[in-house]
Amino acid sequence: MSTYTPLIILAMVFSVGLHAQTTHVSGRVTDARKRPMQGVSISILDTYDGVTTDSSGSFRFSTTESGKWQIVVSFTGFKDWAQEIELKGTEVVVAVELREKADELTAVVITAGSFEASDEKRITVLKPLDIVTTASANADVASALRTLPGTQQVGESAELFVRGGEGYETKQFIDGMVVANPFFSTSPDLASRGRFSPFLFKGTVFSTGGYSALYGQALSSALLLESIDLPDRSEASASISPIFGSGQYQHLAKNKKSSFGASAGYTNLGLYFNLVKQRPDFFKVPEVWNADVNFRIKTSSTGMLKMYAAFTQNRIGVRNADMDRPDLKNAFTVGNDNLYTNMSYRDRLSNRMKLNTGISLSYNIDDLQQKVEDFNNDPAAGNLPSFIRNKNFNLSNKALLVQARTVFDYKLIGLSALRFGAEHWYSLDKTRFNQFNPIALNDHYSAVFAESDIYLSNKLALRTGIRGERSTLLNRTNIAPRASLAYQFTKRAQISGDYGIYYQKPQTQFLQFERDLPQMRADHYILTYQRINTLTTLRLQAFHKEYKQLQKTGLDTNAKGSGYARGIELFWRDKKTLKNFDYWVTYSWLDTKRNYLNFPYALQPNFAANHTANLVVKRFFPKINTQFNLNYQFATGRPFYDIAFDQGSEKYFVRDQGKTIPFNNLSFSINYLASIKKAFAVVVFSISNLTNSQQIFGYRYSLDGANRVPVLPPANQIVFAGIFLSWGTDRRQDAINNNL
Amino acid sequence: MKNKIVIAAIFLGLAITSIAQGPRYAESMKKNIETLDQKPSIENYQNAANNFERIANAEKNQWLPFYYAGYASVMQAFSGMEPGNMSAALDKAESFLNQAAALEPDNSEIAAVMSMVITGRMQVDGSQSMTLGPKATALLSKAMSQQPQGNPRVMMNLSQNLYYTPEPFGGSKKKALELMEKALQAYDTFKPASELHPNWGKVYIESVLKQWKG
């Protein structure tokens, strides 16, 4: 009998419902600060009865139910409120106070210090398209990020110099896996480009400091790139320009569960260099071959397996006047072959647990060669002093990096989460200089890491992380703690503070001669204020960074170098004030000095300018299907030094120094959208340094200090024109045409 | 014997309640559908969304209450909200429509309203049109094939998409007009599955056509 009791009661409750009896339910709904809430839904659970509150937060409705029922009060962004009430004909009055719910859209953001470009998360500073449409970028990821605060305008390099850090202090990660050689190899003082097209990525997070314990081996900055999942449709595309041609095909399976694709391209600057005169003599014009393949499989409703492999090859030969002997030239040749593969898998293991795992392999071969030549470009003969003869060299480097990584993401209550995992990098680096025996470096680097995001309330969140790293080559273990605290004082505005210790292995060229070196270290302290609305973003940041254990070179190599960087940065973006008009302004003030390499004392390094500013403007004219992009970059002059060695005191000293002229660069680009036959086409035209102002990146000195040569861009302006075509192979238009 | 009585009693109880619920569902839905677009304002659409949500939560196997809750939330977003609130209303609409789609997969009516959510998102942030526009078109094209006899609401949304898409992206004002007229004609033949099924939009299409031709 007893097993049926609940059912009988249930049946009785339903039957009782037939005997209509009316009860009024009334009350008032307020928020935690006692302000009335309009539009709130009141309901008696599992019945139709209920009502919506009016502008005074009050409500009243009647119900014919009787007995004990749950009354539920709900409103977007607030936690549901529920109470049991008894309906028996007499009016029920309830007072409701709703509390805000922690959700990603309204809660405080822990990672406010980084710049994120994503289509999936609504509130981000950038959109993926911004990277492609920034005037000065020419679809290069790093160049686009150079319009953000914290970055330096270092025209002689493609790398990202962040907050007083060297270019190598910024690391790029694709789906969590480090990219060993993100840029094409090049000759000294000649900027190259990133190897990876921005169209490969759906999300970009650029952290200019204080990044998560999940990542390491970058003293200054982490650039996290997330590759796209399945494409929306099958598509063939082609790019044509006087300097390159490429073709791509992506196939999406009919069941939309898997896709594969491949692309190939060839770049040759020969034609362009014939039209636009270059300062150096390119006896081998820059040439790039590239090919890649990918597949992506949706293994379940939550699982995704992705593979990407890219092969690139580039060649450059460039001839410049010899600094020490005006009758001679140095001919520099670069040969670079690079293979990068990345396979990643992610899935939801349970309601709370997510898994992200992957392996990557990269193999890079650099062949660098310099020959001293006479004025007829023949090998220099005759009785040359040894310091000139020594400029003839062959350097070949083969580097292998294999990485495996697993991260678990465990969801705690609300938005709180715990992430932990481990990674292992195996690297093998073999360098051969001239006829000498090759030097091999072999390292097993392992790291374990854990990080917790604890939301103490919707407004206050704490992230603590710890990363343990061990390198067998250095035979050292390091512990790197990280912490962030974020507080939201209004819905749109928040402040946050970040702290962290960051380690990075010394550069290979030092480890080749001295292995008993600790990891370089940087301590970050960052304070961020951010106010983010749907269409405007304001961000102010102040930071201080301490460098320790940097490489000092002299008679021997040690890790006694140190330094600091501090500064204030501003970012303002506005899409609201003018229709179809979007602009952002950035300003960075940087104060940095370091005593490293052969510096006799702490100096402001030659890649650091004190003031940097950017204005990026985008305007789309729908009537003519054209977007105009303008970008103005400004930086104050950078210091340059002639550091010489005094044989008597056996010490380095600054023989000469100065500051370059300020850097000005006004870039302009037009994207015109058109349809050509069945293809969708984007015609791109861009020009850098519109005002043709002189740009000097620094100076190089002859050995005796008597001759000083400016470091200049190969040409004052870069002009680009190209057309990007794509052919969708879905039946979108057919669906429309069939109905007409 | 005792058990049989108990079971019989239970069945009787359930039978009574289901009879009681049946007409009540239809009545409540009908009442709310009738008043849905009568006075378009943020408050009224909020009210309607809440009403449909209540019915949806009580009738967890019916997709129509979720569908109408989604529709009311979209219409609320289009009733002159500021961008931040508009995003929240569109989020809510999307979540209702996803619940409706979970009960009734591949339904062209749900796709039609979902395309309005995407249109709303483009209104909030115009710079997303290039990525969202094709998504809306793809969704509607699929919906076209789901209901080959021609769902006027799918045609109407597709037509508006065509109208506001720049020509190089596949937009066409001429085709848009043709399709909108086709959508209007479709009301002559379109028969909703029941009086509770979606049948809105005729008045709106007439006003749009007047404006486009005007």
Side-chain angles (χ1 to χ4, degrees):
Chain A
M1 174 69 203
S2 62
T3 49
Y4 294 105
T5 314
L7 287 172
I8 292 172
I9 291 169
L10 197 71
M12 276 161 64
V13 167
F14 284 127
S15 337
V16 170
L18 292 174
H19 306 287
Q21 160 208 294
T22 305
T23 308
H24 288 284
V25 182
S26 64
R28 190 161 176 264
V29 183
T30 62
D31 64 9
R33 289 159 71 186
K34 307 281 175 213
R35 289 174 301 192
M37 292 179 66
Q38 185 182 5
V40 178
S41 177
I42 320 291
S43 60
I44 293 176
L45 196 64
D46 298 325
T47 75
Y48 298 181
D49 299 336
V51 76
T52 301
T53 57
D54 63 19
S55 59
S56 69
S58 306
F59 66 89
R60 189 164 193 267
F61 67 98
S62 61
T63 174
T64 52
E65 310 289 354
S66 70
K68 284 190 175 151
W69 291 87
Q70 284 273 324
I71 178 168
V72 179
V73 180
S74 61
F75 192 69
T76 314
F78 287 78
K79 277 183 202 155
D80 284 358
W81 180 98
Q83 198 176 69
E84 198 179 69
I85 54 168
E86 197 174 353
L87 304 173
K88 51 184 181 189
T90 50
E91 177 143 353
V92 180
V93 182
V94 287
V96 182
E97 192 179 290
L98 288 184
R99 300 212 167 257
E100 273 188 73
K101 187 165 62 181
D103 76 45
E104 279 157 49
L105 284 174
T106 55
V108 60
V109 186
I110 300 181
T111 54
S114 60
F115 289 90
E116 186 165 6
S118 165
D119 274 329
E120 284 165 13
K121 289 185 190 158
R122 200 144 321 119
I123 298 180
T124 57
V125 174
L126 299 171
K127 294 286 167 203
L129 215 55
D130 286 329
I131 290 170
V132 188
T133 58
T134 295
S136 60
N138 280 327
D140 180 53
V141 178
S143 300
L145 298 178
R146 220 163 282 141
T147 63
L148 297 176
T151 57
Q152 293 282 310
Q153 303 303 335
V154 181
E156 69 274 27
S157 171
E159 292 178 305
L160 283 162
F161 291 74
V162 176
R163 288 184 174 164
E166 281 265 18
Y168 58 73
E169 293 177 25
T170 299
K171 283 265 165 75
Q172 296 188 18
F173 300 86
I174 297 180
D175 295 328
M177 251 77 67
V178 74
V179 183
N181 306 86
F183 302 101
F184 287 111
S185 299
T186 182
S187 69
D189 297 336
L190 188 68
S192 67
R193 279 172 68 87
R195 273 181 216 279
F196 304 106
S197 150
F199 296 104
L200 290 168
F201 308 110
K202 65 169 177 173
T204 305
V205 175
F206 179 45
S207 168
T208 49
Y211 63 86
S212 145
L214 269 50
Y215 303 94
Q217 288 301 305
L219 279 189
S220 283
S221 161
L223 173 57
L224 313 177
L225 301 159
E226 193 187 354
S227 65
I228 51 174
D229 292 340
L230 294 173
D232 287 338
R233 55 175 181 162
S234 294
E235 194 171 67
S237 58
S239 323
I240 304 148
S241 137
I243 62 168
F244 67 76
S246 79
Q248 188 188 23
Y249 180 66
Q250 275 293 332
H251 182 82
L252 178 66
K254 263 202 169 140
N255 62 9
K256 304 205 168 178
K257 291 254 164 71
S258 67
S259 76
F260 65 86
S263 82
Y266 174 65
T267 306
N268 185 320
L269 293 173
L271 186 60
Y272 179 73
F273 283 2
N274 281 336
L275 293 168
V276 182
K277 201 186 144 18
Q278 305 289 306
R279 278 191 191 97
D281 168 21
F282 283 96
F283 61 87
K284 169 97 193 92
V285 293
E287 196 182 25
V288 179
W289 290 95
N290 64 284
D292 64 48
V293 287
N294 69 70
F295 69 76
R296 301 163 189 139
I297 301 168
K298 208 166 158 47
T299 53
S300 70
S301 64
T302 52
M304 177 64 84
L305 176 73
K306 295 192 272 194
M307 195 286 292
Y308 172 75
F311 176 73
T312 43
Q313 184 179 69
N314 76 304
R315 303 279 179 264
I316 304 172
V318 63
R319 196 178 273 128
N320 282 298
D322 188 283
M323 213 106 61
D324 298 290
R325 285 270 298 266
D327 58 327
L328 297 177
K329 294 178 188 175
N330 298 148
F332 198 94
T333 326
V334 180
N336 172 232
D337 299 83
N338 183 278
L339 174 72
Y340 179 78
T341 61
N342 179 323
M343 179 130 86
S344 68
Y345 173 67
R346 65 160 200 265
D347 204 350
R348 189 178 283 276
L349 301 178
S350 73
N351 259 346
R352 292 187 176 275
M353 184 81 97
K354 271 193 288 192
L355 166 77
N356 263 295
T357 185
I359 48 170
S360 78
L361 179 148
S362 60
Y363 188 56
N364 189 73
I365 303 172
D366 275 333
D367 274 306
L368 310 177
Q369 191 184 62
Q370 184 166 268
K371 280 186 184 145
V372 180
E373 293 178 344
D374 64 17
F375 243 82
N376 297 318
N377 302 337
D378 293 322
N383 198 8
L384 296 167
S386 68
F387 77 94
I388 297 282
R389 278 202 316 271
N390 286 346
K391 290 186 189 179
N392 285 302
F393 71 81
N394 277 299
L395 180 75
S396 98
N397 173 273
K398 294 184 169 83
L400 170 76
L401 178 72
V402 183
Q403 184 186 6
R405 174 183 164 92
T406 299
V407 184
F408 293 95
D409 188 322
Y410 185 76
K411 198 171 171 305
L412 303 166
I413 304 157
L415 289 175
S416 298
L418 184 69
R419 283 177 285 274
F420 56 94
E423 60 184 321
H424 187 86
W425 307 10
Y426 169 68
S427 57
L428 178 64
D429 188 285
K430 222 175 196 176
T431 306
R432 190 187 183 102
F433 184 75
N434 291 347
Q435 75 284 15
F436 299 108
N437 283 334
I439 303 171
L441 289 174
N442 195 324
D443 186 28
H444 286 275
Y445 163 88
S446 322
V448 288
F449 43 84
E451 174 182 88
S452 69
D453 288 1
I454 305 294
Y455 281 76
L456 301 164
S457 78
N458 212 11
K459 294 182 186 311
L460 185 67
L462 173 72
R463 168 180 287 182
T464 49
I466 190 150
R467 185 179 175 90
E469 302 180 324
R470 172 153 186 88
S471 152
T472 56
L473 178 69
L474 307 178
N475 193 22
R476 274 180 173 81
T477 305
N478 292 101
I479 303 291
R482 321 257 162 105
S484 302
L485 185 68
Y487 176 70
Q488 185 187 52
F489 41 93
T490 73
K491 254 199 179 140
R492 308 283 179 211
Q494 66 164 67
I495 49 167
S496 54
D498 303 282
Y499 162 78
I501 297 179
Y502 297 84
Y503 288 103
Q504 186 169 351
K505 287 196 276 181
Q507 294 291 92
T508 329
Q509 67 262 37
F510 303 115
L511 290 170
Q512 280 162 357
F513 304 103
E514 177 58 65
R515 294 190 189 171
D516 189 22
L517 289 171
Q519 294 210 74
M520 298 182 283
R521 173 175 163 174
D523 297 6
H524 295 196
Y525 306 84
I526 305 162
L527 199 63
T528 306
Y529 169 84
Q530 172 173 284
R531 204 184 68 218
I532 193 158
N533 287 311
T534 317
L535 297 171
T536 60
T537 306
L538 171 71
R539 179 180 291 177
L540 283 165
Q541 284 192 295
F543 71 92
H544 181 87
K545 190 152 68 168
E546 280 294 331
Y547 282 99
K548 291 165 194 165
Q549 291 155 213
L550 300 178
Q551 270 57 67
K552 274 298 286 173
T553 53
L555 296 174
D556 61 346
T557 300
N558 63 44
K560 288 179 183 155
S562 63
Y564 74 88
R566 61 187 172 216
I568 290 171
E569 292 159 5
L570 164 89
F571 176 88
W572 165 249
R573 183 170 193 176
D574 178 5
K575 297 187 197 178
K576 187 178 170 181
T577 316
L578 300 160
K579 198 177 178 300
N580 287 325
F581 190 89
D582 177 10
Y583 71 92
W584 70 78
V585 194
T586 72
Y587 166 74
S588 316
W589 171 69
L590 172 68
D591 169 28
T592 180
K593 275 190 177 147
R594 50 168 71 194
N595 182 0
Y596 79 141
L597 304 178
N598 59 0
F599 286 16
Y601 46 88
L603 293 166
Q604 179 171 340
N606 63 4
F607 51 79
N610 295 112
H611 305 273
T612 306
N614 264 284
L615 171 69
V616 177
V617 176
K618 299 175 188 209
R619 167 114 206 223
F620 184 63
F621 293 91
K623 285 228 167 90
I624 52 168
N625 303 315
T626 305
Q627 179 161 324
F628 293 89
N629 311 300
L630 205 66
N631 177 201
Y632 174 63
Q633 299 170 301
F634 170 81
T636 50
R638 288 190 271 142
F640 57 86
Y641 306 98
D642 177 23
I643 295 173
F645 190 67
D646 180 47
Q647 300 289 352
S649 64
E650 293 199 323
K651 278 197 169 105
Y652 284 100
F653 69 103
V654 177
R655 188 161 53 189
D656 188 29
Q657 59 178 309
K659 229 170 206 186
T660 64
I661 54 164
F663 173 83
N664 283 285
N665 186 15
L666 181 67
S667 307
F668 174 69
S669 77
I670 301 176
N671 309 338
Y672 170 67
L673 316 167
S675 50
I676 299 175
K677 301 246 165 139
K678 281 191 167 173
F680 165 56
V682 185
V683 181
V684 178
F685 173 80
S686 80
I687 179 163
S688 75
N689 197 7
L690 213 57
T691 55
N692 202 17
S693 68
Q694 198 188 7
Q695 296 175 349
I696 297 174
F697 302 143
Y699 290 86
R700 298 255 174 221
Y701 287 83
S702 64
L703 205 66
D704 60 7
N707 183 24
R708 187 178 99 173
V709 181
V711 177
L712 302 168
N716 273 3
Q717 293 178 314
I718 301 168
V719 182
F720 174 81
I723 176 163
F724 300 86
L725 296 156
S726 68
W727 295 268
T729 51
D730 67 350
R731 299 273 173 266
R732 277 191 341 215
Q733 289 295 324
D734 295 1
I736 297 160
N737 294 333
N738 289 344
N739 276 276
L740 291 178
Chain B
M1 188 62 197
K2 215 186 221 172
N3 285 357
K4 279 184 186 162
I5 294 170
V6 171
I7 292 165
I10 291 163
F11 274 99
L12 186 69
L14 289 177
I16 292 167
T17 46
S18 57
I19 291 163
Q21 291 295 87
R24 204 168 145 221
Y25 168 72
E27 265 169 42
S28 294
M29 287 292 284
K30 217 176 135 189
K31 197 180 87 195
N32 281 304
I33 292 165
E34 273 166 11
T35 53
L36 188 53
D37 289 311
Q38 270 178 7
K39 272 184 276 167
S41 71
I42 293 176
E43 291 74 32
N44 286 338
Y45 280 122
Q46 174 74 62
N47 213 335
N50 287 349
N51 290 345
F52 284 114
E53 187 183 6
R54 264 195 301 279
I55 300 173
N57 287 335
E59 305 281 345
K60 292 208 165 62
N61 297 319
Q62 301 280 2
W63 68 275
L64 283 167
F66 282 116
Y67 164 85
Y68 281 109
Y71 171 75
S73 299
V74 174
M75 294 311 287
Q76 188 192 22
F78 286 119
S79 307
M81 283 183 135
E82 62 103 358
N85 291 341
M86 193 166 168
S87 278
L90 294 169
D91 286 345
K92 191 128 200 207
E94 191 171 339
S95 118
F96 286 135
L97 293 170
N98 283 335
Q99 289 178 81
L103 295 166
E104 184 79 5
D106 297 331
N107 181 292
S108 66
E109 298 288 358
I110 298 171
V113 182
M114 195 61 113
S115 82
M116 293 160 75
V117 173
I118 300 174
T119 306
R121 298 224 190 276
M122 291 192 273
Q123 252 184 47
V124 173
D125 184 355
S127 70
Q128 279 189 278
S129 304
M130 270 169 111
T131 44
L132 290 179
K135 279 204 173 113
T137 312
L139 189 73
L140 290 165
S141 311
K142 197 174 154 214
M144 281 282 217
S145 61
Q146 283 160 0
Q147 204 156 343
Q149 75 268 33
N151 177 333
R153 283 161 295 282
V154 174
M155 287 193 232
M156 177 252 278
N157 278 299
L158 196 53
S159 159
Q160 283 194 313
N161 251 27
L162 275 177
Y163 193 87
Y164 293 106
T165 302
E167 297 225 345
F169 288 98
S172 161
K173 293 212 165 30
K174 190 176 147 272
K175 276 188 192 175
L177 192 66
E178 282 178 50
L179 195 60
M180 195 59 98
E181 275 173 336
K182 195 106 197 246
L184 187 63
Q185 287 165 23
Y187 282 94
D188 299 337
T189 50
F190 182 85
K191 289 278 167 291
S194 81
E195 59 175 353
L196 300 184
H197 279 70
N199 199 19
W200 52 270
K202 195 176 178 188
V203 180
Y204 176 76
I205 290 175
E206 282 165 351
S207 75
V208 170
L209 276 173
K210 211 168 147 191
Q211 193 195 325
W212 284 1
K213 286 176 181 169

